[in-house]
Amino acid sequence: MTRPTVLMPSRMHDVVVEGCEERFELIRLWEAADPDAVLAERGADVRGLATGGHHTVDAALLDRLPNLQIVANFGVGYDTVDVEAATERGVIVTNTPGVLDDEVADTALGLMLMTVRELGRAERYLRAGRWATEGNYPLTDLTMTGRRLGILGLGRIGEAIAKRAEAFKVTIAGYHNRSRKDVPYRYYPSLVEMARDVDTLVVVVPGNASTRHLVNAEVLEALGPDGVLINIGRGTVVDEAALIAALKTRTIRAAGLDVFEDEPNVPQELIDLDNAVLLPHVGSASKPTRRAMGQLVVDNLTTWFAEGRALTPVNG
Ligand code: NAP
Ligand code: 8YV
């Protein structure tokens, strides 16, 4: 039997490359001298597309793959895939939920600690030799214990963050989703109202049109001068210009960010701020977790071609 042809536009995790090589005919588009010519010649053969990172899967690409059945995305967030265009063409889209919840929640707590207790700045102080010459690092204004946390996006990762935060004696003041969940936390139908009631806002919603700039100047104003914003979801959820202004004027106290509006480009104005902690989108970036994500990409493709069903579809 001929093996299904899978297209990989940019190089992915070894688990995905090797898993696809074993089971499918893999078109390694990133190695092609003329990717356009390869798509023109082989586009109609392609049944599966493996993708991830910043590579976008839009209507124009889908139109070049008329017999495509499945887009397997590396990442639980699939904002780089035009799911509507895929659905219109009868193409199933899968993501990698669940296997990264703990890693991302751990990173969120690390980012919160770094932001509230200034751990990155304190480490830089030591490395610069300032402890010996200038004395102890200044006491931090903020502490974790007793903070009031609001979670924008109480899904799989949001719940894992809430559990960890409770162990740090942080009060879970509530969450804002589009719909109420059966959980022991207060539901806020209004994000601004929640921001007013908390001093720490964690963002862990997907990036899409419905979440774009949900965290705007009004929400930051409501969060207030002791407020800490943590964004581990997507950069597009926060109005970055409004955030920079709020950090500069101390409308809020500090921000810890793992994600940005135009990755990997981070505005110099953010980099220059001493009340921002910035990580290069490392939420899930451990070898074990990335392996598990890669395996789920391969498993989705395998199950689809063997049994006609996907393990973790986001449409259909
Ligand atoms: P999930 O289980 O689907 O949870 C998403 C939550 O967001 C749901 O509770 C959903 O509730 C809420 N939500 C969605 N749209 C909303 C809107 N317009 N307004 C308010 N709430 C909304 O997803 P997850 O697995 O926890 O992942 C969440 C996101 O984290 C991913 O999509 C990804 O963007 C991000 N992420 C980042 C990293 C990183 O490395 N930094 C790693 C993994 C994931 P309702 O449907 O009721 O609104
Ligand atoms: C990955 C993520 O960094 O799963 C997600 O949504 O943001 C991260 O786990 C990313 O998707 C890998 O490209």
PDB file of all heavy atoms in Angstrom, residues 52-54 73-79 96 100 104 157 232-234 258-259 281-285 290 293, ligand 2:
ATOM      1  N   GLY A  52       3.745  23.919  12.911  1.00  0.00           N
ATOM      2  CA  GLY A  52       3.886  24.435  14.266  1.00  0.00           C
ATOM      3  C   GLY A  52       4.710  25.702  14.248  1.00  0.00           C
ATOM      4  O   GLY A  52       5.167  26.139  13.188  1.00  0.00           O
ATOM      5  N   GLY A  53       4.883  26.288  15.422  1.00  0.00           N
ATOM      6  CA  GLY A  53       5.680  27.510  15.532  1.00  0.00           C
ATOM      7  C   GLY A  53       5.002  28.671  14.847  1.00  0.00           C
ATOM      8  O   GLY A  53       3.783  28.827  14.920  1.00  0.00           O
ATOM      9  N   HIS A  54       5.790  29.484  14.139  1.00  0.00           N
ATOM     10  CA  HIS A  54       5.226  30.705  13.547  1.00  0.00           C
ATOM     11  C   HIS A  54       4.733  30.498  12.126  1.00  0.00           C
ATOM     12  O   HIS A  54       4.279  31.437  11.492  1.00  0.00           O
ATOM     13  CB  HIS A  54       6.271  31.824  13.584  1.00  0.00           C
ATOM     14  CG  HIS A  54       6.634  32.210  14.987  1.00  0.00           C
ATOM     15  ND1 HIS A  54       5.739  32.804  15.837  1.00  0.00           N
ATOM     16  CD2 HIS A  54       7.767  32.036  15.694  1.00  0.00           C
ATOM     17  CE1 HIS A  54       6.314  32.999  17.001  1.00  0.00           C
ATOM     18  NE2 HIS A  54       7.545  32.541  16.953  1.00  0.00           N
ATOM     19  N   ASN A  73      -1.305  20.247  14.162  1.00  0.00           N
ATOM     20  CA  ASN A  73      -0.576  21.390  14.700  1.00  0.00           C
ATOM     21  C   ASN A  73       0.196  21.021  15.963  1.00  0.00           C
ATOM     22  O   ASN A  73      -0.354  20.393  16.876  1.00  0.00           O
ATOM     23  CB  ASN A  73      -1.565  22.520  15.021  1.00  0.00           C
ATOM     24  CG  ASN A  73      -0.866  23.776  15.505  1.00  0.00           C
ATOM     25  OD1 ASN A  73      -0.069  24.361  14.780  1.00  0.00           O
ATOM     26  ND2 ASN A  73      -1.153  24.185  16.731  1.00  0.00           N
ATOM     27  N   PHE A  74       1.455  21.429  16.027  1.00  0.00           N
ATOM     28  CA  PHE A  74       2.308  21.231  17.202  1.00  0.00           C
ATOM     29  C   PHE A  74       2.058  22.412  18.129  1.00  0.00           C
ATOM     30  O   PHE A  74       2.536  23.514  17.887  1.00  0.00           O
ATOM     31  CB  PHE A  74       3.768  21.186  16.736  1.00  0.00           C
ATOM     32  CG  PHE A  74       4.790  20.963  17.816  1.00  0.00           C
ATOM     33  CD1 PHE A  74       5.170  19.683  18.181  1.00  0.00           C
ATOM     34  CD2 PHE A  74       5.411  22.039  18.439  1.00  0.00           C
ATOM     35  CE1 PHE A  74       6.130  19.472  19.158  1.00  0.00           C
ATOM     36  CE2 PHE A  74       6.376  21.841  19.422  1.00  0.00           C
ATOM     37  CZ  PHE A  74       6.739  20.553  19.773  1.00  0.00           C
ATOM     38  N   GLY A  75       1.303  22.191  19.194  1.00  0.00           N
ATOM     39  CA  GLY A  75       0.932  23.280  20.101  1.00  0.00           C
ATOM     40  C   GLY A  75      -0.549  23.178  20.388  1.00  0.00           C
ATOM     41  O   GLY A  75      -1.329  22.803  19.501  1.00  0.00           O
ATOM     42  N   VAL A  76      -0.936  23.505  21.622  1.00  0.00           N
ATOM     43  CA  VAL A  76      -2.377  23.501  21.944  1.00  0.00           C
ATOM     44  C   VAL A  76      -3.039  24.720  21.309  1.00  0.00           C
ATOM     45  O   VAL A  76      -4.181  24.671  20.871  1.00  0.00           O
ATOM     46  CB  VAL A  76      -2.617  23.400  23.473  1.00  0.00           C
ATOM     47  CG1 VAL A  76      -2.140  24.623  24.223  1.00  0.00           C
ATOM     48  CG2 VAL A  76      -4.081  23.154  23.765  1.00  0.00           C
ATOM     49  N   GLY A  77      -2.298  25.826  21.237  1.00  0.00           N
ATOM     50  CA  GLY A  77      -2.794  27.023  20.550  1.00  0.00           C
ATOM     51  C   GLY A  77      -2.627  26.821  19.052  1.00  0.00           C
ATOM     52  O   GLY A  77      -1.584  26.367  18.595  1.00  0.00           O
ATOM     53  N   TYR A  78      -3.663  27.165  18.296  1.00  0.00           N
ATOM     54  CA  TYR A  78      -3.600  26.931  16.835  1.00  0.00           C
ATOM     55  C   TYR A  78      -3.949  28.216  16.105  1.00  0.00           C
ATOM     56  O   TYR A  78      -4.577  28.191  15.050  1.00  0.00           O
ATOM     57  CB  TYR A  78      -4.517  25.759  16.446  1.00  0.00           C
ATOM     58  CG  TYR A  78      -5.895  25.805  17.081  1.00  0.00           C
ATOM     59  CD1 TYR A  78      -6.928  26.510  16.476  1.00  0.00           C
ATOM     60  CD2 TYR A  78      -6.133  25.170  18.292  1.00  0.00           C
ATOM     61  CE1 TYR A  78      -8.173  26.579  17.069  1.00  0.00           C
ATOM     62  CE2 TYR A  78      -7.379  25.231  18.897  1.00  0.00           C
ATOM     63  CZ  TYR A  78      -8.396  25.944  18.275  1.00  0.00           C
ATOM     64  OH  TYR A  78      -9.632  26.016  18.866  1.00  0.00           O
ATOM     65  N   ASP A  79      -3.513  29.323  16.675  1.00  0.00           N
ATOM     66  CA  ASP A  79      -3.837  30.629  16.099  1.00  0.00           C
ATOM     67  C   ASP A  79      -3.156  30.879  14.757  1.00  0.00           C
ATOM     68  O   ASP A  79      -3.540  31.794  14.034  1.00  0.00           O
ATOM     69  CB  ASP A  79      -3.501  31.747  17.095  1.00  0.00           C
ATOM     70  CG  ASP A  79      -2.223  31.496  17.868  1.00  0.00           C
ATOM     71  OD1 ASP A  79      -2.117  30.436  18.515  1.00  0.00           O
ATOM     72  OD2 ASP A  79      -1.316  32.346  17.806  1.00  0.00           O
ATOM     73  N   THR A  96      -2.393  19.949  20.343  1.00  0.00           N
ATOM     74  CA  THR A  96      -1.743  19.064  21.330  1.00  0.00           C
ATOM     75  C   THR A  96      -2.147  19.448  22.767  1.00  0.00           C
ATOM     76  O   THR A  96      -1.314  19.898  23.558  1.00  0.00           O
ATOM     77  CB  THR A  96      -0.211  19.116  21.194  1.00  0.00           C
ATOM     78  OG1 THR A  96       0.228  20.482  21.382  1.00  0.00           O
ATOM     79  CG2 THR A  96       0.250  18.632  19.839  1.00  0.00           C
ATOM     80  N   LEU A 100       0.858  19.305  27.938  1.00  0.00           N
ATOM     81  CA  LEU A 100       1.751  20.399  28.355  1.00  0.00           C
ATOM     82  C   LEU A 100       1.211  21.210  29.517  1.00  0.00           C
ATOM     83  O   LEU A 100       1.834  22.182  29.956  1.00  0.00           O
ATOM     84  CB  LEU A 100       2.056  21.326  27.149  1.00  0.00           C
ATOM     85  CG  LEU A 100       0.914  21.681  26.184  1.00  0.00           C
ATOM     86  CD1 LEU A 100      -0.293  22.211  26.864  1.00  0.00           C
ATOM     87  CD2 LEU A 100       1.397  22.598  25.106  1.00  0.00           C
ATOM     88  N   VAL A 104       3.387  24.249  31.438  1.00  0.00           N
ATOM     89  CA  VAL A 104       3.026  25.659  31.209  1.00  0.00           C
ATOM     90  C   VAL A 104       2.583  26.297  32.535  1.00  0.00           C
ATOM     91  O   VAL A 104       2.924  27.450  32.817  1.00  0.00           O
ATOM     92  CB  VAL A 104       1.939  25.773  30.118  1.00  0.00           C
ATOM     93  CG1 VAL A 104       1.574  27.230  29.872  1.00  0.00           C
ATOM     94  CG2 VAL A 104       2.424  25.128  28.816  1.00  0.00           C
ATOM     95  N   ILE A 157      -5.047  24.630  31.302  1.00  0.00           N
ATOM     96  CA  ILE A 157      -3.840  25.215  31.909  1.00  0.00           C
ATOM     97  C   ILE A 157      -4.231  26.179  33.038  1.00  0.00           C
ATOM     98  O   ILE A 157      -3.588  26.208  34.094  1.00  0.00           O
ATOM     99  CB  ILE A 157      -2.983  25.926  30.841  1.00  0.00           C
ATOM    100  CG1 ILE A 157      -2.555  24.918  29.763  1.00  0.00           C
ATOM    101  CG2 ILE A 157      -1.755  26.583  31.469  1.00  0.00           C
ATOM    102  CD1 ILE A 157      -1.908  25.548  28.536  1.00  0.00           C
ATOM    103  N   ILE A 232       0.703  34.266  29.814  1.00  0.00           N
ATOM    104  CA  ILE A 232       1.299  33.002  29.355  1.00  0.00           C
ATOM    105  C   ILE A 232       0.448  32.448  28.206  1.00  0.00           C
ATOM    106  O   ILE A 232       0.715  31.368  27.687  1.00  0.00           O
ATOM    107  CB  ILE A 232       1.398  32.002  30.553  1.00  0.00           C
ATOM    108  CG1 ILE A 232       2.270  30.779  30.269  1.00  0.00           C
ATOM    109  CG2 ILE A 232       0.028  31.566  31.043  1.00  0.00           C
ATOM    110  CD1 ILE A 232       3.691  30.908  30.650  1.00  0.00           C
ATOM    111  N   GLY A 233      -0.597  33.220  27.795  1.00  0.00           N
ATOM    112  CA  GLY A 233      -1.533  32.749  26.762  1.00  0.00           C
ATOM    113  C   GLY A 233      -1.038  33.077  25.359  1.00  0.00           C
ATOM    114  O   GLY A 233      -0.303  32.300  24.740  1.00  0.00           O
ATOM    115  N   ARG A 234      -1.416  34.235  24.874  1.00  0.00           N
ATOM    116  CA  ARG A 234      -0.953  34.725  23.580  1.00  0.00           C
ATOM    117  C   ARG A 234      -0.759  36.240  23.655  1.00  0.00           C
ATOM    118  O   ARG A 234      -1.546  36.943  24.310  1.00  0.00           O
ATOM    119  CB  ARG A 234      -1.961  34.414  22.470  1.00  0.00           C
ATOM    120  CG  ARG A 234      -1.863  32.997  21.930  1.00  0.00           C
ATOM    121  CD  ARG A 234      -0.548  32.701  21.204  1.00  0.00           C
ATOM    122  NE  ARG A 234      -0.480  31.358  20.680  1.00  0.00           N
ATOM    123  CZ  ARG A 234       0.065  30.301  21.308  1.00  0.00           C
ATOM    124  NH1 ARG A 234       0.597  30.438  22.512  1.00  0.00           N
ATOM    125  NH2 ARG A 234       0.093  29.113  20.734  1.00  0.00           N
ATOM    126  N   ASP A 258       5.397  35.871  28.786  1.00  0.00           N
ATOM    127  CA  ASP A 258       6.051  34.787  28.051  1.00  0.00           C
ATOM    128  C   ASP A 258       5.727  34.893  26.562  1.00  0.00           C
ATOM    129  O   ASP A 258       6.336  34.211  25.743  1.00  0.00           O
ATOM    130  CB  ASP A 258       5.568  33.431  28.594  1.00  0.00           C
ATOM    131  CG  ASP A 258       6.295  32.239  27.960  1.00  0.00           C
ATOM    132  OD1 ASP A 258       7.541  32.280  27.895  1.00  0.00           O
ATOM    133  OD2 ASP A 258       5.630  31.292  27.514  1.00  0.00           O
ATOM    134  N   VAL A 259       4.740  35.719  26.240  1.00  0.00           N
ATOM    135  CA  VAL A 259       4.247  35.811  24.858  1.00  0.00           C
ATOM    136  C   VAL A 259       4.056  37.271  24.466  1.00  0.00           C
ATOM    137  O   VAL A 259       3.789  38.122  25.328  1.00  0.00           O
ATOM    138  CB  VAL A 259       2.915  35.029  24.714  1.00  0.00           C
ATOM    139  CG1 VAL A 259       3.143  33.530  24.757  1.00  0.00           C
ATOM    140  CG2 VAL A 259       1.924  35.437  25.802  1.00  0.00           C
ATOM    141  N   HIS A 281       8.889  32.938  25.134  1.00  0.00           N
ATOM    142  CA  HIS A 281       7.868  31.916  24.848  1.00  0.00           C
ATOM    143  C   HIS A 281       8.399  30.506  25.173  1.00  0.00           C
ATOM    144  O   HIS A 281       8.531  29.661  24.281  1.00  0.00           O
ATOM    145  CB  HIS A 281       7.433  31.992  23.367  1.00  0.00           C
ATOM    146  CG  HIS A 281       6.113  31.333  23.103  1.00  0.00           C
ATOM    147  ND1 HIS A 281       5.226  31.790  22.164  1.00  0.00           N
ATOM    148  CD2 HIS A 281       5.542  30.225  23.650  1.00  0.00           C
ATOM    149  CE1 HIS A 281       4.160  31.000  22.138  1.00  0.00           C
ATOM    150  NE2 HIS A 281       4.330  30.046  23.036  1.00  0.00           N
ATOM    151  N   VAL A 282       8.673  30.315  26.462  1.00  0.00           N
ATOM    152  CA  VAL A 282       9.246  29.028  26.904  1.00  0.00           C
ATOM    153  C   VAL A 282       8.262  28.216  27.741  1.00  0.00           C
ATOM    154  O   VAL A 282       8.652  27.266  28.412  1.00  0.00           O
ATOM    155  CB  VAL A 282      10.565  29.229  27.693  1.00  0.00           C
ATOM    156  CG1 VAL A 282      11.655  29.755  26.783  1.00  0.00           C
ATOM    157  CG2 VAL A 282      10.368  30.148  28.903  1.00  0.00           C
ATOM    158  N   GLY A 283       6.973  28.596  27.709  1.00  0.00           N
ATOM    159  CA  GLY A 283       5.973  27.943  28.555  1.00  0.00           C
ATOM    160  C   GLY A 283       6.043  26.424  28.566  1.00  0.00           C
ATOM    161  O   GLY A 283       6.000  25.799  29.619  1.00  0.00           O
ATOM    162  N   SER A 284       6.153  25.819  27.404  1.00  0.00           N
ATOM    163  CA  SER A 284       6.150  24.350  27.311  1.00  0.00           C
ATOM    164  C   SER A 284       7.528  23.798  26.957  1.00  0.00           C
ATOM    165  O   SER A 284       7.655  22.609  26.635  1.00  0.00           O
ATOM    166  CB  SER A 284       5.162  23.902  26.227  1.00  0.00           C
ATOM    167  OG  SER A 284       5.633  24.306  24.944  1.00  0.00           O
ATOM    168  N   ALA A 285       8.543  24.667  27.017  1.00  0.00           N
ATOM    169  CA  ALA A 285       9.814  24.342  26.356  1.00  0.00           C
ATOM    170  C   ALA A 285      10.784  23.493  27.181  1.00  0.00           C
ATOM    171  O   ALA A 285      11.934  23.881  27.419  1.00  0.00           O
ATOM    172  CB  ALA A 285      10.492  25.629  25.898  1.00  0.00           C
ATOM    173  N   ARG A 290       8.056  18.792  25.134  1.00  0.00           N
ATOM    174  CA  ARG A 290       8.045  18.963  23.673  1.00  0.00           C
ATOM    175  C   ARG A 290       8.014  17.601  22.972  1.00  0.00           C
ATOM    176  O   ARG A 290       7.399  17.454  21.916  1.00  0.00           O
ATOM    177  CB  ARG A 290       9.246  19.799  23.221  1.00  0.00           C
ATOM    178  CG  ARG A 290       9.108  21.275  23.576  1.00  0.00           C
ATOM    179  CD  ARG A 290       8.023  21.942  22.725  1.00  0.00           C
ATOM    180  NE  ARG A 290       7.709  23.292  23.160  1.00  0.00           N
ATOM    181  CZ  ARG A 290       8.369  24.380  22.781  1.00  0.00           C
ATOM    182  NH1 ARG A 290       9.405  24.278  21.966  1.00  0.00           N
ATOM    183  NH2 ARG A 290       8.000  25.559  23.223  1.00  0.00           N
ATOM    184  N   MET A 293       4.439  16.486  23.065  1.00  0.00           N
ATOM    185  CA  MET A 293       3.651  17.246  22.079  1.00  0.00           C
ATOM    186  C   MET A 293       3.898  16.697  20.668  1.00  0.00           C
ATOM    187  O   MET A 293       2.976  16.502  19.878  1.00  0.00           O
ATOM    188  CB  MET A 293       4.021  18.740  22.134  1.00  0.00           C
ATOM    189  CG  MET A 293       3.586  19.436  23.409  1.00  0.00           C
ATOM    190  SD  MET A 293       4.411  21.033  23.666  1.00  0.00           S
ATOM    191  CE  MET A 293       3.822  21.989  22.275  1.00  0.00           C
TER     192      MET A 293
HETATM  193  C1  8YV B   2       4.589  26.114  21.972  1.00  0.00           C
HETATM  194  C2  8YV B   2       2.342  26.988  22.760  1.00  0.00           C
HETATM  195  O1  8YV B   2       5.646  26.949  22.292  1.00  0.00           O
HETATM  196  O2  8YV B   2       1.139  24.979  22.810  1.00  0.00           O
HETATM  197  C3  8YV B   2       1.112  26.180  22.607  1.00  0.00           C
HETATM  198  O3  8YV B   2       0.073  26.796  22.293  1.00  0.00           O
HETATM  199  O4  8YV B   2       2.319  28.178  22.711  1.00  0.00           O
HETATM  200  C4  8YV B   2       3.612  26.319  23.065  1.00  0.00           C
HETATM  201  O5  8YV B   2       3.456  25.120  23.709  1.00  0.00           O
HETATM  202  C5  8YV B   2       4.296  26.381  20.574  1.00  0.00           C
HETATM  203  O6  8YV B   2       3.023  26.076  20.155  1.00  0.00           O
HETATM  204  C6  8YV B   2       5.318  25.623  19.761  1.00  0.00           C
HETATM  205  O7  8YV B   2       5.374  26.096  18.515  1.00  0.00           O
END
